[in-house]
Amino acid sequence: MRVFDFDGTIYDGESLFDLYLFSARYDVKVFRHLAPVLRYAIKYKLGKATLEQMEHGVGKVTRKYLQDLAKSRSIDGLRTQALDNAVKAGLDKDVMVADASVIGADDLDGGLKSLVNAFWDRNMSKIKPWYEPRPDDVILTASFDVTVGEACRRLGVHNLIASTIDPRTFEVTYLNFNTNKPKRLREVLGPDAVIDEFYTDSEFDQPMIDMARKGFMVKGNVITQVK
């Protein structure tokens, strides 16, 4: 079994931050969240935030951000535009809406769902060329299922272990960060799951490297075996 971190590993950048900037094109109100987003991103990369601080801070920022998007007429306009395009292409609206579902976020509001799809229409090219997906790969990420799930669907990868959000309340229900990663992987795949290869761009994933038979550090498109 191959397990991959997502952001910075197989995706060239930080997908959540990229989504934030992408959504700002449709509604400038989301810029009010810029400072806290940057603050927590920097703390995360420098390892200066505890798991408890991340769970509280990221949860608060994410909830307010998604609430703004859910109320945005511009974002909801993406849903209408997507439906109109489907009709012009001769597709059934009901089929189109069903096909737009995101792994782990089937109840996500139409406008937000359309935003995620529009984002990946633009950003799938940022999946690094060295990554050749296999259906049984596992993506293990601190990013949220409502965003990375759509990328996994397009890649044909069926196993995603990510941070989770309640699509009705926008509350963060699980932050798949740091030591929560191996904990959650064991819960999902079982305590005896064997990781043949693990790929990451972060030294903070050392617990996952320790679990794997082989560990690889990814810097850009350069892959170095560290175990």
Side-chain angles (χ1 to χ4, degrees), residues 19-39:
L19 177 64
Y20 168 81
L21 293 179
F22 181 79
S23 63
R25 300 172 54 188
Y26 297 93
D27 197 321
V28 295
K29 289 198 302 292
V30 302
F31 275 121
R32 72 181 72 182
H33 307 294
L34 178 60
V37 166
L38 287 175
R39 181 168 64 250

Side-chain angles (χ1 to χ4, degrees), residues 198-204 206 209 215-219 222-226:
F198 177 69
Y199 296 78
T200 183
D201 71 317
S202 174
E203 295 179 358
F204 301 119
Q206 187 61 46
I209 294 175
F216 300 87
M217 192 64 64
V218 179
K219 298 300 179 185
V222 177
I223 304 171
T224 303
Q225 185 170 351
V226 294

Side-chain angles (χ1 to χ4, degrees), residues 108-129:
L108 198 64
D109 285 346
L112 295 180
K113 185 181 295 184
S114 296
L115 175 69
V116 169
N117 277 279
F119 171 77
W120 286 113
D121 285 345
R122 184 182 180 89
N123 286 276
M124 281 303 292
S125 60
K126 296 187 71 172
I127 299 296
K128 296 182 180 181

Side-chain angles (χ1 to χ4, degrees), residues 27-227:
D27 197 321
V28 295
K29 289 198 302 292
V30 302
F31 275 121
R32 72 181 72 182
H33 307 294
L34 178 60
V37 166
L38 287 175
R39 181 168 64 250
Y40 284 108
I42 292 172
K43 284 185 176 182
Y44 165 65
K45 283 300 184 182
L46 296 178
K48 292 187 177 181
T50 66
L51 182 57
E52 291 75 16
Q53 289 172 329
M54 291 294 292
E55 287 177 333
H56 174 75
V58 171
K60 184 178 179 180
V61 172
T62 301
R63 184 174 64 255
K64 290 182 177 179
Y65 167 66
L66 290 175
Q67 286 172 343
D68 275 356
L69 292 185
K71 297 174 183 176
S72 171
R73 291 184 179 180
S74 298
I75 298 299
D76 191 60
L78 284 172
R79 176 184 60 83
T80 303
Q81 179 182 344
L83 292 175
D84 288 344
N85 290 340
V87 172
K88 291 177 182 178
L91 301 176
D92 183 88
K93 283 188 177 183
D94 293 334
V95 173
M96 185 269 169
V97 171
D99 287 346
S101 63
V102 179
I103 296 174
D106 290 338
D107 296 324
L108 198 64
D109 285 346
L112 295 180
K113 185 181 295 184
S114 296
L115 175 69
V116 169
N117 277 279
F119 171 77
W120 286 113
D121 285 345
R122 184 182 180 89
N123 286 276
M124 281 303 292
S125 60
K126 296 187 71 172
I127 299 296
K128 296 182 180 181
W130 63 264
Y131 176 60
E132 297 181 0
R134 301 175 187 171
D136 59 346
D137 283 346
V138 177
I139 302 300
L140 182 70
T141 177
S143 288
F144 294 102
D145 53 357
V146 296
T147 56
V148 178
E150 175 61 16
C152 289
R153 186 187 70 81
R154 297 184 185 206
L155 289 168
V157 175
H158 306 299
N159 305 301
L160 171 63
I161 302 174
S163 297
T164 56
I165 294 173
D166 185 326
R168 297 165 300 171
T169 65
F170 303 128
E171 295 284 346
V172 175
T173 54
Y174 190 82
L175 189 62
N176 198 46
F177 168 75
N178 204 312
T179 55
N180 275 356
K181 279 188 173 183
K183 175 184 175 183
R184 184 61 174 161
L185 184 138
R186 291 191 186 98
E187 290 174 352
V188 174
L189 301 180
D192 299 324
V194 176
I195 302 173
D196 296 304
E197 299 176 3
F198 177 69
Y199 296 78
T200 183
D201 71 317
S202 174
E203 295 179 358
F204 301 119
D205 278 333
Q206 187 61 46
M208 289 302 309
I209 294 175
D210 293 340
M211 286 178 61
R213 290 176 171 173
K214 296 180 180 179
F216 300 87
M217 192 64 64
V218 179
K219 298 300 179 185
N221 288 311
V222 177
I223 304 171
T224 303
Q225 185 170 351
V226 294
K227 180 184 179 183

